[in-house]
Amino acid sequence: MTRLTLALLISALSVNALAQAQDAPEGYQLQQVLMMSRHNLRAPLANNGSVLEQSTTRQWPQWDVPGGELTTKGGVLEVYMGHYMREWLAQQGLIKENECPQPASVYVYANSLQRTVATAQFFTNGAFPGCDITVHHQAAMGKMDPTFNPVITNKESAFNQQAVQAMEKQRANYALDESYKLLEQVTDYKDSASCKEKQQCDLANGKDSFKANAGEEPGVSGPLKVGNSLADAFTLQYYEGFPQDQVAWGEIKTPEQWRQLSALKNGYQDTLFTSPEVARNVAAPLVKYINGALVENKTRAPVTVLVGHDSNIASLLTALDFKPYQLHDQYERTPIGGKIVFQRWHDEKNNKNLMKVEYVYQSTEQLRNATPLSLASPPQRVTLELNGCPTDANGFCPWEKFEEVMKQAQR
């Protein structure tokens, strides 16, 4: 490497770090952050008799943890994300760089499943290594916490029918025939138990059946559920770093194929959790909690970290009426370990508070390669916009408008 090349490389890294440092206009001070995170990398469910086992005669690869639990690599990825967020928070002056934060200044709250609590613990270890930061969760592990449990709470039969119709309408927005054909090819679906024993051999022409029962998550049976389970398993294999010939048995090789698979995952999530009727209902406890933390400032913690699920993020974004968004370098709409980062800023010059919301996440390749993160090697950041709180050129919207958005979402 020549001196010139080395100088250019150092310059490029410096510019990258500087770009991270200058994400707010002069005189803006970060005052509070709330991160709504999806848990990190977990093992898929491939137990005997599951959707995965019923869909192919091929052998599924073995994982180092039981189905549904956070993997060792998932912990590493979350430590990296925690390390990056610590650097960014210190850079913005919200915490001190080389000191443990005061216990009351950081509040971490996770759903009471292994993968969510473990994600919160690994994030905390990455962000505040050696510090005594409590991860709050229900005592009963394995039981969904009401704040994070995306279940239908409206018991009226009219709402049940309205919700099912809304899900059916959402499903009609997705053309998934090519995705189903790809799955049938990859799994040799014609030889599967589902085909031979249940005569369910054609995913593209199968019928989905939706439900929205009070006390349960929105649900679907049929090809959409099968397709989501298979696509999810292949995606997790890729993130985990399985050799290419073991990821979907070496059958998924191109970006276009990954887009087709992700269309099933995204379609499943959007269908079940992003119609306004369903989203406002299932996200209500989480919206109330976030309003308490940000608007009412109940915890009085400058930094709040919530760890839940993709269903939480998908329904929350709809319940608060965010505009459609595009995540670059990612196929998923709600990536593993991704965080919706609500930021309350103060504009000292004009003496007013502002809100900025970003999606901070690891790209597909950052996840597969377990890329360490820092200000010089950051994760991806995409600014989000609320319909009720238009942003300026720097992605900030008036705090009063954000308060109104939160109020509307709870009506």
Side-chain angles (χ1 to χ4, degrees), residues 232-295:
D232 179 63
F234 298 148
T235 302
L236 295 173
Q237 290 170 3
Y238 188 82
Y239 290 160
E240 182 68 11
F242 281 90
Q244 287 284 7
D245 62 352
Q246 292 182 30
V247 176
W249 307 287
E251 298 288 340
I252 304 299
K253 302 173 183 176
T254 69
E256 179 56 32
Q257 289 177 316
W258 281 114
R259 277 191 285 271
Q260 289 177 345
L261 287 183
S262 294
L264 282 165
K265 291 184 84 261
N266 296 333
Y268 173 89
Q269 185 182 83
D270 284 355
T271 296
L272 295 189
F273 294 104
T274 70
S275 65
E277 295 87 345
V278 172
R280 288 175 64 91
N281 185 261
V282 302
L286 187 57
V287 170
K288 181 179 179 181
Y289 186 92
I290 292 174
N291 183 72
L294 288 176
V295 177

Side-chain angles (χ1 to χ4, degrees), residues 305-377:
V305 182
L306 308 178
V307 183
H309 307 269
D310 51 358
S311 54
N312 295 137
I313 290 178
S315 57
L316 176 68
L317 292 176
T318 298
L320 297 185
D321 197 18
F322 277 89
K323 293 183 178 182
Y325 62 92
Q326 183 68 45
L327 301 184
H328 50 78
D329 300 317
Q330 249 296 347
Y331 299 114
E332 295 190 276
R333 285 178 52 78
T334 54
I336 283 285
K339 293 161 176 59
I340 307 298
V341 183
F342 295 86
Q343 308 158 36
R344 179 166 60 88
W345 294 77
H346 184 70
D347 174 4
E348 296 177 353
K349 180 180 178 180
N350 297 297
N351 192 27
K352 62 180 182 180
N353 289 332
L354 301 162
M355 168 57 63
K356 185 174 186 178
V357 187
E358 292 180 284
Y359 213 139
V360 180
Y361 62 96
Q362 285 141 301
S363 70
T364 301
E365 294 310 304
Q366 284 177 322
L367 290 169
R368 179 166 174 82
N369 298 329
T371 305
L373 303 176
S374 65
L375 289 178
S377 178

Side-chain angles (χ1 to χ4, degrees), residues 71-86:
T71 69
T72 302
K73 182 176 180 180
V76 171
L77 292 168
E78 199 62 31
V79 166
Y80 289 162
M81 181 64 87
H83 174 77
Y84 166 77
M85 293 305 302
R86 167 60 180 263

Side-chain angles (χ1 to χ4, degrees), residues 7-313:
L8 290 173
L9 178 59
I10 293 172
S11 176
L13 290 173
S14 298
V15 169
N16 194 4
L18 188 61
Q20 292 292 314
Q22 294 181 339
D23 59 355
E26 185 178 353
Y28 280 36
Q29 179 61 52
L30 183 62
Q31 294 188 327
Q32 186 182 14
V33 163
L34 182 145
M35 308 176 206
M36 176 62 229
S37 176
R38 183 186 177 188
H39 61 78
N40 217 295
L41 184 59
R42 60 164 171 79
L45 296 168
N47 300 323
N48 186 39
S50 73
V51 170
L52 300 187
E53 292 289 347
Q54 292 287 310
S55 298
T56 185
T57 58
R58 292 187 165 194
Q59 187 69 35
W60 290 96
Q62 295 297 308
W63 289 68
D64 65 352
V65 297
E69 291 193 2
L70 193 77
T71 69
T72 302
K73 182 176 180 180
V76 171
L77 292 168
E78 199 62 31
V79 166
Y80 289 162
M81 181 64 87
H83 174 77
Y84 166 77
M85 293 305 302
R86 167 60 180 263
E87 284 193 347
W88 179 71
L89 291 170
Q91 179 193 67
Q92 303 305 328
L94 199 58
I95 61 174
K96 294 184 178 179
E97 188 170 359
N98 296 313
E99 297 180 13
C100 286
Q102 294 297 315
S105 66
V106 177
Y107 192 84
V108 184
Y109 174 29
N111 188 28
S112 45
L113 301 185
Q114 185 272 348
R115 61 183 175 272
T116 43
V117 172
T119 294
Q121 291 170 335
F122 279 111
F123 177 87
T124 302
N125 289 338
F128 313 108
C131 302
D132 186 16
I133 304 294
T134 301
V135 173
H136 300 268
H137 59 86
Q138 282 189 155
M141 287 291 288
K143 182 179 180 181
M144 293 288 285
D145 184 315
T147 298
F148 299 99
N149 198 7
V151 297
I152 299 290
T153 57
N154 192 320
K155 299 179 181 180
E156 298 178 3
S157 59
F159 178 82
N160 176 287
Q161 296 173 5
Q162 183 184 22
V164 168
Q165 291 171 358
M167 288 189 280
E168 291 173 343
K169 185 178 179 181
Q170 288 286 93
R171 169 62 186 88
N173 293 329
Y174 282 84
L176 298 175
D177 286 5
E178 292 303 314
S179 301
Y180 284 135
K181 289 178 183 177
L182 175 62
L183 279 184
E184 290 173 1
Q185 173 188 329
V186 170
T187 60
D188 292 330
Y189 198 71
K190 65 183 184 301
D191 293 327
S192 70
S194 290
C195 179
K196 291 189 172 182
E197 298 173 12
K198 301 179 182 179
Q199 286 71 54
Q200 298 170 358
C201 302
D202 187 347
L203 291 173
N205 291 313
K207 182 171 176 57
D208 292 311
S209 177
F210 298 97
K211 63 177 183 178
N213 300 331
E216 299 177 9
E217 287 191 25
V220 60
S221 58
L224 190 60
K225 181 177 180 179
V226 174
N228 174 70
S229 297
L230 291 167
D232 179 63
F234 298 148
T235 302
L236 295 173
Q237 290 170 3
Y238 188 82
Y239 290 160
E240 182 68 11
F242 281 90
Q244 287 284 7
D245 62 352
Q246 292 182 30
V247 176
W249 307 287
E251 298 288 340
I252 304 299
K253 302 173 183 176
T254 69
E256 179 56 32
Q257 289 177 316
W258 281 114
R259 277 191 285 271
Q260 289 177 345
L261 287 183
S262 294
L264 282 165
K265 291 184 84 261
N266 296 333
Y268 173 89
Q269 185 182 83
D270 284 355
T271 296
L272 295 189
F273 294 104
T274 70
S275 65
E277 295 87 345
V278 172
R280 288 175 64 91
N281 185 261
V282 302
L286 187 57
V287 170
K288 181 179 179 181
Y289 186 92
I290 292 174
N291 183 72
L294 288 176
V295 177
E296 299 175 13
N297 201 18
K298 288 182 177 179
T299 63
R300 299 194 178 280
V303 179
T304 300
V305 182
L306 308 178
V307 183
H309 307 269
D310 51 358
S311 54
N312 295 137
I313 290 178

